[in-house]
Amino acid sequence: MVLCMNKMLKKALTAAAILGVLAGCASEEDTIIMAPVPQVDSEFTPKSEWSASVGDGVSNYFSKLSPEYAYDKVFVASREGIVKALSPENGSTLWQQDLEQNVPARLSGGITAGYSQIFIGSENGQVIALNEETGEVNWRVDVEGEVLAAPATESNLVIVHTATGMLIALDQATGDTKWTISTEVPSLTLRGNSAPVTVSGGVFWGTANGRLAAAIAERGQLIWQQPIGTPQGATEIDRLVDVDASPLVLGSTLYIVGYNGQLTAIDLRSGKSVWKRKYSSSTDLASDGGRLFVVTDKDYLVAVDARSGTELWSNEQLEHRLLTAPALIDGYVVVGDSEGYLHWLDRDTGEFVAQQQINSSGFAVAPINVPDGYIAVTRNGDVKKLSITK
């Protein structure tokens, strides 16, 4: 599968970015080639526990609608506005809500659970709260800018990061705006935003101008900003430094990675960097406590020691396969790709241990853990609970 690098990047900047073959590349230097599917002798085969569906999923759009497991339910959503609560035991529909009104719902940011509700944002600049038990819409409010990342919850607030660079805190019960923080957005950015993370009364998020920001969640007071990437290069695309990954907190250390930036460890108390390593990524990190797992902008999967930043291993065999963020399932590192494969790697060595094609429509988000298995949602809306049998 041949992709044009510059056009792939420009496509990712548009509102309706669609995956696929990009024809008409200007020159051989502009092209990149998706790595073939690695040949893997699988050590295990997943067992299908149940299957369900949620509309047409996100199709080929950017929408990052990761499923959520909370309140003994699996919550899933489609870009067109279908939201479902499913039984984790058998996949039966416990409730269903259609959020489409006079225009397409264009759901994109979520799902987040909290305060006996679930919260979802949209490309229409809306944040919606639903009762977790019934699916009833508790409130729906307009905010400034598209909501492309999952909200966070803290101090009876729902905190969303919008594409206009606004961090907005909403009252969890009413949706009323409590405070806003504005950060600079360059004229050209990647499609996507960093999901905020809350820890001990603080909120942390990446910005489009290459920084990690920290604020006091209760009153929206900006504490500090730490540069993760510095614009370099002759063209606007070369100078992109978006921090679209969500921060990851382990103990008193926060980890963040930026596009054309660095993987950085930051001490939460001082806001100062502990170490920095040169990696470029726009996807979320995963960790087993001692190691960080990173999918780079070239779709290399890398393991880094969390204490020192030392690279432990790198697997380059999935290059340009448009991987999801990494996840840890049953002790393995797993990523999905654009052709619907789940790739399982040994977290100690980075070697492949198993591989399955779940659905040819591909994956936009990584699988999540649930009791006695994991949930995988494909781009066309198939929802599957699987478990590992060895």
Side-chain angles (χ1 to χ4, degrees):
M1 184 177 189
V2 179
L3 301 175
C4 175
M5 181 54 137
N6 285 342
K7 291 190 177 182
M8 183 174 70
L9 282 170
K10 292 176 183 176
K11 176 191 65 175
L13 309 177
T14 64
I18 297 177
L19 299 174
V21 178
L22 299 181
C25 296
S27 68
E28 187 173 338
E29 288 72 26
D30 291 331
T31 63
I32 58 175
I33 299 175
M34 178 184 286
V37 180
Q39 298 299 307
V40 177
D41 185 13
S42 294
E43 297 179 10
F44 58 83
T45 301
K47 175 185 176 183
S48 178
E49 303 291 343
W50 52 256
S51 295
S53 65
V54 55
D56 294 325
V58 300
S59 187
N60 290 322
Y61 292 92
F62 172 82
S63 304
K64 298 285 188 179
L65 287 172
S66 180
E68 175 83 324
Y69 174 71
Y71 310 116
D72 197 30
K73 301 178 183 68
V74 176
F75 299 101
V76 291
S78 71
R79 186 176 185 272
E80 64 196 8
I82 302 298
V83 184
K84 288 185 177 183
L86 304 176
S87 164
E89 285 76 30
N90 57 29
S92 62
T93 299
L94 303 176
W95 57 254
Q96 177 174 322
Q97 180 66 261
D98 188 349
L99 298 180
E100 184 170 336
Q101 295 182 315
N102 297 324
V103 296
R106 301 170 72 207
L107 301 182
S108 184
I111 305 169
T112 298
Y115 314 119
S116 298
Q117 302 178 89
I118 62 168
F119 305 99
I120 305 175
S122 80
E123 296 172 26
N124 297 333
Q126 289 193 328
V127 181
I128 305 161
L130 293 84
N131 182 290
E132 65 85 10
E133 184 66 31
T134 66
E136 177 184 0
V137 176
N138 290 341
W139 49 260
R140 181 195 298 247
V141 299
D142 294 327
V143 295
E144 184 180 332
E146 298 174 296
V147 181
L148 304 177
T153 57
E154 175 73 22
S155 304
N156 281 317
L157 300 173
V158 180
I159 304 172
V160 296
H161 183 201
T162 75
T164 57
M166 305 292 289
L167 193 74
I168 303 171
L170 308 171
D171 185 280
Q172 64 90 5
T174 64
D176 294 340
T177 299
K178 293 299 185 180
W179 53 256
T180 62
I181 298 174
S182 179
T183 58
E184 178 188 358
V185 177
S187 58
L188 188 66
T189 66
L190 292 176
R191 182 71 170 159
N193 291 113
S194 171
V197 166
T198 56
V199 181
S200 302
V203 57
F204 306 87
W205 72 104
T207 70
N209 63 353
R211 294 176 177 271
L212 173 76
I216 298 174
E218 187 174 2
R219 58 181 183 268
Q221 178 185 347
L222 191 65
I223 306 172
W224 47 257
Q225 296 188 61
Q226 177 73 242
I228 304 302
T230 302
Q232 298 178 357
T235 69
E236 284 190 273
I237 289 178
D238 292 335
R239 294 172 62 81
L240 291 171
V241 290
D242 297 49
V243 181
D244 286 349
S246 179
L248 173 68
V249 177
L250 298 176
S252 62
T253 306
L254 180 148
Y255 302 90
I256 190 72
V257 65
Y259 186 83
N260 283 340
Q262 299 177 93
L263 173 63
T264 304
I266 295 175
D267 181 84
L268 282 175
R269 289 162 292 196
S270 65
K272 296 180 179 179
S273 63
V274 179
W275 54 256
K276 295 183 178 182
R277 299 293 182 268
K278 186 66 177 177
Y279 292 103
S280 173
S281 176
S282 57
T283 59
D284 290 351
L285 306 169
S287 176
D288 62 1
R291 289 165 287 200
L292 306 174
F293 303 101
V294 186
V295 170
T296 74
D297 57 356
K298 293 183 179 181
D299 288 324
Y300 297 167
L301 192 54
V302 180
V304 174
D305 182 87
R307 295 185 62 183
S308 65
T310 303
E311 183 174 300
L312 302 175
W313 53 257
S314 177
N315 186 314
E316 302 178 4
Q317 297 181 62
L318 300 173
E319 186 175 19
H320 301 310
R321 293 193 61 81
L322 302 179
L323 302 182
T324 67
L328 286 170
I329 306 287
D330 275 48
Y332 300 104
V333 181
V334 59
V335 292
D337 71 17
S338 60
E339 293 185 327
Y341 287 90
L342 289 180
H343 305 276
W344 303 78
L345 291 83
D346 185 299
R347 58 181 174 167
D348 293 325
T349 66
E351 296 178 355
F352 292 108
V353 295
Q355 175 191 94
Q356 305 90 29
Q357 186 176 33
I358 305 300
N359 180 304
S360 62
S361 70
F363 290 100
V365 294
I368 64 165
N369 286 287
V370 295
D372 303 317
Y374 59 98
I375 299 291
V377 180
T378 62
R379 281 190 168 273
N380 67 354
D382 282 354
V383 183
K384 299 180 183 295
K385 180 181 179 181
L386 303 106
S387 59
I388 294 177
T389 56
K390 302 179 183 179

